[in-house]
Amino acid sequence: MSAAKAKAQSLINENAVVVFSKSYCPYCKSSKDLLNKNGAKYKLLELDELEDGADIQKALEEISNQRTVPNIFIKQKHIGGNSDLQAIASKLPEMLKDAGAV
Ligand SMILES: N[C@@H](CCC(=O)N[C@@H](CS)C(=O)NCC(=O)O)C(=O)O
């Protein structure tokens, strides 16, 4: 396993909510806004600001079959991107509570 894949996987394993993001990405901003509105605590990685960000993005494609950001995990479950998160907005309070992220 590559170092980037091991890093991505342990971030997913060790955090209730993880958002792999890019700082300039409007879809990422929408997801972060929704999580913030719900009072969620989450691990945030801005891949464009990390030296190994491109490698992590490639690793995420292997892990989740998704290359775009945001790439969101709640309680180790792959949620998907912003459209997927918005689609479950009504269920988020319960999911975040269950994950221990609020
Ligand atoms: N439908 C996706 C759209 C996400 C998207 O297009 N993200 C862009 C960044 S704003 C992306 O990942 N582009 C490829 C890249 O940055 O490598 C969602 O809802 O999350």
Side-chain angles (χ1 to χ4, degrees):
M1 194 190 287
S2 72
K5 191 171 179 183
K7 180 176 169 181
Q9 193 60 63
S10 55
L11 284 162
I12 293 162
N13 293 347
E14 288 161 18
N15 291 280
V17 180
V18 191
V19 179
F20 296 93
S21 170
K22 289 186 182 175
S23 60
Y24 55 78
C25 162
Y27 300 102
C28 303
K29 183 177 180 329
S30 293
S31 290
K32 290 180 278 188
D33 285 349
L34 180 58
L35 289 168
N36 291 339
K37 200 178 99 184
N38 279 277
K41 286 172 279 173
Y42 55 95
K43 179 75 181 173
L44 174 65
L45 278 92
E46 300 289 12
L47 297 182
D48 59 309
E49 294 175 349
L50 298 177
E51 215 167 285
D52 57 355
D55 292 337
I56 292 176
Q57 188 171 3
K58 203 171 146 202
L60 284 171
E61 192 175 6
E62 291 174 27
I63 292 169
S64 66
N65 279 320
Q66 180 189 319
R67 189 178 162 72
T68 54
V69 288
N71 195 334
I72 302 157
F73 294 79
I74 298 178
K75 208 178 168 186
Q76 290 75 50
K77 182 175 183 280
H78 181 234
I79 301 299
N82 180 56
S83 56
D84 303 294
L85 188 72
Q86 300 295 336
I88 57 162
S90 64
K91 293 186 203 153
L92 265 182
E94 191 60 36
M95 285 175 76
L96 293 169
K97 200 171 152 197
D98 180 56
V102 285

